[in-house]
Each structure stands twice: as C-alpha cells, then as structure tokens.
Amino acid sequence: MKPTGKEVDPKDRAFGRHIQKLRQARKLTQAELAGRMQKTSSWMSQVERGVQRVERLDVLQDLADALGVSVQQLKPGAPGPAEPPPLQPAVYKSNDLDEARRLISGHPAIGTILGALRPAPSKSLAELSTDVDEMWELTHAGEFADVSARLTELLPDLEQTVRIVAPEEREEAYLLLARTYQALAAAFVRQDAADAAWVAADRAIWAAELSGNHLHVCAGVFRMVHAFVRLRMLGQAEHAATTAIQALETVDEREALTAEGLSVLGSLHLALALVYARGHDRTGARGAIDAARRVARRIGEDRNDFNLEFGVTNVEIQAVSTAVELGDAGEALDIGLSIDAEGLSPERQGRLLMDLGRAHAQRRHTGEALACLLRAEALDPETVRTHVASRKAIRELVLVEGAGAPPELMQLAARAEALE
C-alpha cells in the first residue's frame, strides 16, 4: 500500500512540492503535465503529495523532459537554469570581424614592396610577440570585436616588419606573422566566415614556411582544413589533412616526432575525423579518432602547442563532437559525461557543453539540452550564439516544445537569433 498522511517520507513530500512548484512556474495543470508523460492525473497528484515515489531513472528523465528541466533540477533546492545577463541593445557591441576581413583584402604591404613606403618598425619583436599572444587569448575567448580592433595595428606592423627587419631577425618576424594569421583563420572559422579563413590560413602557411618552422606550416594546414569543412569542400579538406598527416608520419618513422610534432599530427587526425563525420563516413571518422587517441597516449598529457590544445582530453571532446555529427547521441553522452575539461580553455569547455546539449537535443531531452547550452553560453557566448550547429539545435528544441517551450529556452533562442 502507498503511504498516506504522516506515513509519507519527508524526502518524498519535499520532492513532490518541488515538482509542483516547477509545474506551476510553467503554468501547467496536473493533467497537462501528466499528459506529456502519458500518465494519469491521479498519478501526478500522488507524486506531488509524496505518495508516489519516482525512483526509476527513465521515469525521472520523462518527468524532467515534460517540465523542460534537467534531471538534476528535479532535486529539491536545486537552482533553476542559470540565465546569462541580458543583452543591452542600446550599447550592444558588434562582435564581428569586418575590419579584419578588410585588412586581408588585396596585398597586405603593396606600398612597401613597390618602394612607396619605407617605414621603420614601430615595435620590437618582443613587443609584437606579446601582442600576438594577447590576440590568441582574445581568439580563444571569442572576443572577436577586440581581435579585429587589435589587428588594425598589429597586422600592418607585422607585414611591414617582415620586409624591413634585419636579416637575422627575419625568420622570427615571419613566425609571428604566421601565428597571427593562424589566429585570424581560427576566428574566421568560428564566425562561419570560411572564405576569409581560407585566405588567412593560406597566408599563415606561406609565412610559416619563410620562418623555417615547418610544424607551423602543418598547423596552418590544420586551420585550412577547418575552412574547407565550413565551405563544404570535403574533398579538398581530406586532401589537405591526409597529405600533411602522411608527411608527418614519414618524418616520425625516420626520427620520432617531438611532443610539439605529435600535437600537430594528432590535431590533423582530429580535423580528418571532422571531415569524415561531415561526409557521414562512420568508419573513416572513428578510425581518425582512434589514430588521434594513439598519438595522445604517446604524449601522455594535455598540451597547447600551436594553440591546438591537443591531448587526451581534447581527443575525447572531439570524439563527442564526431558522435553527435554522426547522430550517435548515446555514444556522445557516454563519452562526454566522463570528461574532466576543467584544465582547458573556456572555448574547449564551452564546445564540449554545446555538443552535449546537441546530443541531449537529439534525444528530445529538452531540459538536459537547455542546461548544457546555458552553461556553454556562460563560458563561451560566441560559440553558442553563432555556431551553426548550436543554433540548429536550439531551433529544433523550440519546435519540439512548441507552445510549452520553457521561457529560458525562448530567451536563449532570441539571444542566438536561432528562429530567424
């Protein structure tokens, strides 16, 4: 027999009251909530009174989905979804790269090579190196408006410097230029400006070759592969990745690669996994992930060579993303929920949470998906609000929920402009 009155466990009573508050906050009747779960109104009434225990995980998940919250938020005292601070339209700062796109149009130093301009370097290489490091930090943080603003001075300075600096400093100057174009390519990819990313990656490869640092050449190829993927030029992306991988593996057979070299090799395997996943090639995608795992085990730690953040953790983050691309939500969640990404940048942590949100969305777990997406937005707003896959997942969640969509979801959709 079910308990009644004083026989009800205080924990069950507290759980029931919490469910009632969640239901009322969403303006649902007991009958409407029960209907969403294909249960009776009597059953829902018993749950809210603490008479009917809800212990099975599948029933808890159904209840969470019906309320549009995560399973964790069903616990009494659990906070609701964290809502990021609202945008302020009157003082909104555009986070685009329009100025950076203008800068890379045409030849970057035509006046210098024609002899029309012969300026002296405005900064030392040490000062320029600090500027490049800061620009990479802004890129990882998704502060693209600041990236674009910094480039208006940094990029012309570097393009002039490599052409007028003392011969003994030229290779170092070209390496700084290569790193700058790599950062710009990464930023353009994240803004879905793949045509500009292609240009930036190509210039990064050229500058890296002149610097004499061949691993940076391969890092530039990695950026180009991602540009090709965004352009849906999967054949060219596969060619660029595989030729670089083959070259690095040949070097590795002759003389074992350094940790830096392995970082680039492993990152290219991850880029190739993305290429195969976008082409719905499960065998190829999983083979590339396994190859990256083998490289990561050889390194034995998470690193950030060439701003690639390659290591065991990043491989698993990419495995989650690959599984989501292939529609394997269960596999993505199994891998993702075991990852500890605290040591990585907000960009990588945000990407993991975004992909977990996409996986939950594929399973129609709206509350879990929304919780992940809001956490991702708090860490890395730009990725959630501008990434094509993120906006698609948000739009699909809204369509699934219809008129009963949680207000937090609708607010997120507005911030991401996912319904436009």
Side-chain angles (χ1 to χ4, degrees):
M1 293 180 60
K2 290 184 173 66
T4 59
K6 295 181 179 180
E7 297 175 357
V8 175
D9 189 310
K11 292 182 180 178
D12 295 332
R13 193 186 302 278
F15 176 84
R17 288 173 177 166
H18 183 57
I19 298 303
Q20 183 184 53
K21 289 179 181 179
L22 290 173
R23 172 179 62 78
Q24 292 173 342
R26 279 150 180 76
K27 296 182 172 59
L28 295 172
T29 66
Q30 286 185 343
E32 289 170 335
L33 181 56
R36 291 187 177 193
M37 297 181 64
Q38 296 184 330
K39 297 284 189 180
T40 66
S41 297
S42 175
W43 181 88
M44 186 58 64
S45 174
Q46 291 175 359
V47 168
E48 292 189 359
R49 286 185 284 118
V51 175
Q52 173 66 56
R53 286 186 175 180
V54 183
E55 297 177 309
R56 284 174 44 190
L57 184 57
D58 59 335
V59 180
L60 283 168
Q61 185 67 68
D62 287 345
L63 180 56
D65 292 342
L67 287 166
V69 300
S70 68
V71 171
Q72 290 296 316
Q73 289 165 335
L74 294 181
K75 296 179 180 179
E83 184 181 333
L87 296 177
Q88 301 176 15
V91 294
Y92 178 69
K93 179 177 68 174
S94 175
N95 202 24
D96 59 45
L97 288 162
D98 288 350
E99 182 61 21
R101 180 187 284 272
R102 186 190 67 78
L103 276 172
I104 65 172
S105 301
H107 194 286
I110 189 70
T112 299
I113 65 170
L114 291 177
L117 296 172
R118 285 293 175 186
S122 62
K123 291 185 178 181
S124 67
L125 292 185
E127 291 172 320
L128 290 170
S129 179
T130 298
D131 290 344
V132 174
D133 289 341
E134 290 176 354
M135 196 183 72
W136 262 113
E137 291 176 5
L138 292 169
T139 300
H140 281 309
E143 299 290 344
F144 299 136
D146 289 337
V147 169
S148 195
R150 293 285 185 100
L151 277 173
T152 57
E153 293 184 4
L154 176 59
L155 193 56
D157 269 356
L158 283 168
E159 287 285 7
Q160 298 289 354
T161 297
V162 296
R163 291 167 171 84
I164 60 178
V165 76
E168 63 272 16
E169 295 182 317
R170 188 157 294 148
E171 288 187 351
E172 183 181 353
Y174 270 114
L175 184 56
L176 291 176
L177 184 62
R179 292 180 58 213
T180 299
Y181 275 122
Q182 285 177 33
L184 187 53
F188 276 133
V189 163
R190 290 183 64 191
Q191 284 238 320
D192 207 29
D195 56 338
W198 183 357
V199 174
D202 187 61
R203 291 187 181 174
I205 293 169
W206 162 79
E209 183 175 356
L210 291 176
S211 78
N213 191 314
H214 297 155
L215 288 179
H216 265 286
V217 173
C218 295
V221 172
F222 170 86
R223 304 296 172 188
M224 183 170 283
V225 171
H226 280 271
F228 285 150
V229 169
R230 286 298 182 95
L231 289 166
R232 298 180 179 83
M233 301 165 65
L234 298 184
Q236 288 177 251
E238 180 182 9
H239 175 76
T242 54
T243 52
I245 288 171
Q246 289 166 2
L248 285 168
E249 288 179 340
T250 299
V251 173
D252 192 37
E253 291 172 2
R254 186 172 66 241
E255 182 179 351
L257 289 170
T258 62
E260 289 84 357
L262 290 173
S263 290
V264 180
L265 175 60
S267 295
L268 285 164
H269 279 301
L270 292 182
L272 189 58
L274 175 61
V275 174
Y276 288 139
R278 290 290 171 89
H280 307 290
D281 181 348
R282 293 175 180 273
T283 301
R286 288 180 170 142
I289 289 291
D290 287 341
R293 284 190 175 115
R294 289 192 293 272
V295 174
R297 285 196 292 269
R298 286 178 62 184
I299 297 177
E301 61 178 338
D302 291 326
R303 299 176 62 92
N304 191 29
D305 302 301
F306 311 101
N307 287 281
L308 296 171
E309 290 193 275
F310 182 79
V312 175
T313 306
N314 201 29
V315 170
E316 298 312 311
I317 290 176
Q318 188 64 39
V320 172
S321 184
T322 300
V324 174
E325 288 288 341
L326 294 172
D328 296 329
E331 179 182 342
L333 293 172
D334 286 344
I335 297 172
L337 295 176
S338 66
I339 296 175
D340 179 6
E342 288 296 323
L344 299 182
S345 69
E347 174 194 357
R348 298 310 299 156
Q349 293 182 53
R351 180 55 197 253
L352 172 60
L353 285 165
M354 186 192 80
D355 284 329
L356 289 175
R358 293 171 62 203
H360 280 300
Q362 288 179 2
R363 294 189 127 190
R364 304 291 180 89
H365 294 166
T366 301
E368 306 288 351
L370 179 58
C372 287
L373 290 169
L374 287 174
R375 287 171 61 200
E377 185 188 30
L379 284 167
D380 186 18
E382 191 67 19
T383 292
V384 175
R385 296 176 187 176
T386 64
H387 198 289
V388 174
S390 171
R391 297 175 72 200
K392 180 181 177 182
I394 295 168
R395 182 168 59 253
E396 289 176 350
L397 287 172
V398 172
L399 293 175
V400 167
E401 292 300 306
E408 300 90 351
L409 174 59
M410 297 307 298
Q411 291 160 10
L412 176 62
R415 291 191 296 273
E417 300 180 347
L419 304 182
E420 297 183 3

